[in-house]
Each structure stands twice: as structure tokens, then as C-alpha cells.
């Protein structure tokens, strides 16, 4: 393959539907204390899916430097790279990209972790992990690509097509979902876009949600970092559903180019019969349409309807809104220092390990 990279300022990242590859997200991570780097990528069009008419295609990638100890970092690529190579050249592309990036990343970076946004290439196959590793490394010279211990951003999601009229979007939903949306509106649930002054209210709901579902709690400063970054094509707003002035559910909704994404949600354990979460999602859909977005990413479900999966409840809830299921390839590592990488993998296997979102 012929892949070349050139470093640039993260402020000049191209517009993209993937928020986590935007200048906005770079600013968010910088506010959280992470160093970010941006690189232009130039690839022959014949190596890419879709094969544009031009000889070469230019895109870019955002890399986040994340400390794993006092002396070492990893380069985390959230939902990147966006460029999608031909299926039989995916490993070659990642290998060459990684080697070119190594020359421009600090020496303490021991590996690159790609949270690949690409649709999985073994969706209809039941491949073991060793076979997945073998398949992605096919044709590479170093055989250095390995599936990460866990995925960081959601690898499975549902996308709702926002191009039809609202009536048609509603018609595509499950009848119980439509009923619950209408029920919430009849009960007087009101969805409003609120400002920074409601962040404490969101965080109270969020803390309650985490305790109820036994999930890790982000610090308030994590959400504070969403305020302040500026990007003409990307950003977030806070939506909140009220009943008689009482906040019952809330979510951060992002916009990046033509895609809206449900980032973080929270809800009260009280007055659940108001179905405020259904009104909240419908409010997000209608707001995204007013932004001229063509799709809405519900951001995270279980890979199937398996009721034993921890996220099966989210699958049932989100499926009701009529979206299509997307299985991404998830996190893959390319090690620069094999021994240090193996030590990190061992730590991740037995401990809480590295986590980023």
C-alpha cells in the first residue's frame, strides 16, 4: 500500500459525522488533561472501499495520548481512522499507517489502539478471536495487530434514518414505542434544551442512574469539559425532560456534520410511568432533524437480543425506535514495543485496566 501522513494542528481536522474524530472532541480531551495530535492521511483510492475517481484520497485522524503509567503512553484513536480500506487490505493499511505515525509520535508511546468505526468484516461468521487476529494480519509483515482486551467506545449501535418526514419515522417504530411517546406527551412531559446551569441537575440524575444500574460513575468534571470547546460543524447540547417542573430524564445530544449522537443519558427512578425517556428520545430526533442531520446514532446496544447480555435492556429500548443495527470492528492494538504491550495486556486482563471514553 501507499499511505503517507503529515502532522497538523487538531483545530484543522476535517468535518466528519464521527464526533470523536472532530476538532470539538480534541478540545474536550485537552480540557480533560490529554494531549491530542492530528495527522493528514493520503491513500491511493484503489485501496479504499468505494474507489473514488481521483488517484488519491486525503483524510485525517485524531490521536489521543493517554498515560498508562508514569513513563509510557498509548495512542488512542477514537472511532478512527474514518477512511475504510478494501476488506483484504485493512491489516496492511493499519500496519503502514501505524509505522508512519510512529515516526511522529513520542518515543514513550508503546502502542496504537484503534477504536475502528468500520463495519465488522465477520458479521455473518462465528470466528474465534485467534482467527480474527489471523484474518486481520493476513498479508502484513509484522503480524502486530491484536484485538484489544475490551472495546472502549460502543462497537454495536443503532442508526435511525432522519431523512423521511416525522410521520414516517414514527411509523417505522415499534407500536409500543409510538404509544409510549404519545403517552408521555399526553401526560404533559416537556422536553427542553437547557444550559450549563442545569449541569448539576443532570449529574444528580446521572449518579442515580449509575447507582441503579451498577455502572462506573464519571466525575462531574468529565461533563464540565463538554462546555467551552468551539467547532462550527460539531457540538453538544443538554436536553432535559420535565413533568410539572420536575426533571425526570436528561441526555447530552451531539451534532457532528450530518449525524446526531446520543452521548450520555440519565433518568430518575421516580415517576417512570410518565415514559419521559421516550419523550426525550423523540425530542432528540426532532431537534436533530431541525439541524438537518440525516442520521441519529443511538450509541451503544448489546450485539443481539440475548437477554443475558448486560445491555439487553438498552437493545430492546433502542430497537423500538426503528433504527438499523451496526456492528463495528471495535478496538485493535498495534504494538510498537512488544514486551511493554504484553505487560499492559496482562494488567488489563486481571485489573480494571485502562479505560477511556
Amino acid at each position: 500500500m501507499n499511505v503517507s501522513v503529515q502532522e497538523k494542528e487538531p483545530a484543522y481536522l476535517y468535518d466528519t459525522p464521527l464526533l470523536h474524530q472532530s476538532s470539538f472532541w480534541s478540545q474536550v480531551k485537552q480540557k480533560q488533561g490529554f494531549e491530542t495530535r492530528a495527522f493528514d492521511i493520503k491513500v491511493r483510492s484503489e485501496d479504499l472501499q468505494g474507489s473514488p475517481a481521483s488517484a488519491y484520497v486525503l483524510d485525517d485522524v485524531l490521536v489521543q495520548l493517554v498515560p498508562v503509567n508514569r513513563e509510557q503512553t498509548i495512542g488512542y484513536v477514537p472511532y478512527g481512522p474514518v477512511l475504510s480500506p478494501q476488506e483484504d487490505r485493512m491489516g496492511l493499511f493499519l500496519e503502514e499507517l501505524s509505522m508512519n505515525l510512529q515516526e511522529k509520535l513520542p518515543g514513550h508511546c508503546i502502542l496504537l489502539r484503534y477504536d475502528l468505526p468500520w463495519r465488522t468484516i465477520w458479521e455473518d461468521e462465528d470466528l474465534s478471536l485467534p482467527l480474527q487476529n489471523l484474518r486481520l494480519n493476513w498479508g502484513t509483515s509484522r503480524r502486530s495487530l491484536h484485538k484489544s482486551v475490551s472495546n472502549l467506545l460502543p462497537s454495536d449501535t443503532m442508526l435511525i434514518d432522519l431523512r423521511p418526514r416525522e410521520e414516517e419515522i414514527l411509523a417505522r417504530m415499534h407500536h409500543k414505542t409510538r404509544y409510549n411517546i404519545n403517552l408521555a406527551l399526553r401526560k404533559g412531559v416537556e422536553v427542553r434544551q437547557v444550559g450549563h446551569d442545569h449541569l448539576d441537575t443532570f449529574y444528580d440524575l446521572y449518579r442515580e442512574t449509575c447507582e441503579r444500574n451498577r455502572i462506573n460513575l464519571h466525575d462531574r468534571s468529565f461533563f464540565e469539559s463538554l462546555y467551552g470547546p468551539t467547532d462550527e460543524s460539531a457540538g453538544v447540547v443538554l436536553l432535559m425532560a420535565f413533568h410539572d417542573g420536575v426533571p425526570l430524564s436528561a441526555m447530552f445530544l451531539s451534532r457532528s456534520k450530518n449525524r446526531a449522537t446520543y452521548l450520555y443519558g440519565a433518568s430518575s427512578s421516580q415517576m417512570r410511568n410518565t415514559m419521559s425517556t421516550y419523550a426525550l428520545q423523540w425530542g432528540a430526533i426532532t431537534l436533530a432533524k431541525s439541524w438537518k442531520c440525516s442520521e441519529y446514532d443511538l450509541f451503544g446496544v448489546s450485539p443481539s437480543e440475548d437477554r443475558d447480555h448486560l445491555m439487553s435492556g438498552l437493545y430492546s429500548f433502542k430497537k423500538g425506535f426503528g433504527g438499523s443495527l451496526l456492528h463495528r470492528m471495535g478496538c485493535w492494538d498495534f504494538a510498537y514495543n512488544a514486551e511493554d504491550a504484553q505487560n499492559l495486556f496482562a494488567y488489563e486482563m486481571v485489573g480494571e485496566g485502562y479505560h477511556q471514553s
Side-chain angles (χ1 to χ4, degrees):
M1 292 189 72
N2 187 354
V3 180
S4 62
V5 299
Q6 180 65 48
E7 188 164 8
K8 64 179 181 180
E9 288 297 320
Y12 298 115
L13 283 161
Y14 300 137
D15 294 346
T16 169
L18 293 166
L19 179 78
H20 296 79
Q21 281 292 304
S22 68
S23 170
F24 175 87
W25 198 250
S26 171
Q27 294 172 65
V28 168
K29 302 321 287 185
Q30 288 173 5
K31 287 191 68 176
Q32 292 175 359
F34 297 100
E35 181 182 355
T36 62
R37 303 280 188 89
F39 304 89
D40 277 325
I41 309 173
K42 186 179 180 181
V43 190
R44 291 183 310 187
S45 60
E46 63 188 47
D47 292 325
L48 301 174
Q49 294 184 18
S51 296
S54 58
Y56 287 87
V57 174
L58 184 66
D59 210 319
D60 55 21
V61 66
L62 173 67
V63 181
Q64 211 175 294
L65 292 175
V66 183
V68 294
N69 55 45
R70 292 182 179 180
E71 300 175 350
Q72 298 170 327
T73 60
I74 73 169
Y76 176 53
V77 185
Y79 282 164
V82 178
L83 284 175
S84 184
Q86 299 281 0
E87 182 177 320
D88 61 349
R89 303 180 191 182
M90 288 180 172
L92 284 169
F93 172 72
L94 291 174
E95 180 180 64
E96 189 163 342
L97 175 61
S98 300
M99 296 308 297
N100 285 336
L101 287 172
Q102 184 180 21
E103 301 172 2
K104 302 180 182 303
L105 292 171
H108 51 70
C109 181
I110 62 173
L111 65 83
L112 278 175
R113 176 160 293 175
Y114 295 99
D115 216 328
L116 294 174
W118 309 336
R119 183 179 293 275
T120 182
I121 57 177
W122 35 74
E123 187 167 359
D124 299 322
E125 305 174 58
D126 186 18
L127 289 186
S128 65
L129 189 56
L131 284 177
Q132 291 181 33
N133 286 330
L134 179 65
R135 184 165 172 179
L136 197 61
N137 280 289
W138 188 259
T140 62
S141 59
R142 293 176 46 131
R143 306 291 194 272
S144 293
L145 287 162
H146 297 277
K147 189 72 178 72
S148 306
V149 172
S150 63
N151 296 321
L152 305 182
L153 291 168
S155 58
D156 303 289
T157 189
M158 290 183 181
L159 295 174
I160 298 175
D161 184 357
L162 298 180
R163 291 170 297 181
R165 295 178 295 111
E166 290 182 7
E167 294 79 6
E168 187 174 343
I169 294 175
L170 282 166
R172 293 179 179 180
M173 296 181 187
H174 191 280
H175 65 90
K176 289 185 178 179
T177 301
R178 284 197 306 275
Y179 176 83
N180 286 336
I181 291 172
N182 290 326
L183 178 63
L185 298 179
R186 289 200 305 271
K187 285 180 175 286
V189 174
E190 180 187 5
V191 177
R192 300 201 306 264
Q193 182 176 327
V194 296
H196 179 267
D197 58 324
H198 282 70
L199 183 58
D200 285 337
T201 303
F202 168 83
Y203 197 74
D204 288 342
L205 291 170
Y206 168 72
R207 182 190 295 110
E208 184 178 348
T209 302
C210 290
E211 292 172 353
R212 183 173 66 241
N213 296 310
R214 299 179 181 179
I215 57 179
N216 291 331
L217 179 75
H218 282 301
D219 189 79
R220 184 187 181 281
S221 61
F222 180 88
F223 300 101
E224 184 72 49
S225 65
L226 298 173
Y227 293 90
T230 57
D231 185 337
E232 288 185 1
S233 69
V236 300
V237 298
L238 179 57
L239 298 182
M240 197 164 287
F242 299 85
H243 184 266
D244 289 339
V246 179
L248 297 179
S249 55
M251 64 182 288
F252 278 99
L253 177 70
S254 75
R255 171 190 58 83
S256 189
K257 200 174 179 180
N258 65 326
R259 179 181 296 175
T261 301
Y262 169 33
L263 279 185
Y264 310 107
S267 63
S268 171
S269 300
Q270 307 301 315
M271 302 177 65
R272 299 180 71 83
N273 63 338
T274 62
M275 301 298 170
S276 70
T277 55
Y278 288 87
L280 185 67
Q281 290 294 336
W282 180 242
I285 288 171
T286 55
L287 179 58
K289 279 188 69 65
S290 75
W291 290 341
K292 308 301 182 185
C293 291
S294 59
E295 56 187 0
Y296 178 38
D297 185 350
L298 285 165
F299 202 59
V301 294
S302 56
S304 69
E305 294 183 274
D306 182 2
R307 294 184 181 276
D308 293 329
H309 195 283
L310 291 174
M311 296 177 68
S312 62
L314 280 178
Y315 184 100
S316 300
F317 172 70
K318 294 180 179 180
K319 183 182 179 182
F321 289 92
S324 57
L325 192 60
L326 170 64
H327 300 292
R328 298 186 176 107
M329 289 186 64
C331 280
W332 287 80
D333 296 329
F334 186 94
Y336 294 138
N337 185 308
E339 182 178 353
D340 289 339
Q342 287 300 323
N343 290 335
L344 173 62
F345 301 154
Y347 172 72
E348 291 179 321
M349 288 291 291
V350 299
E352 289 186 2
Y354 159 75
H355 174 76
Q356 178 63 35
S357 60

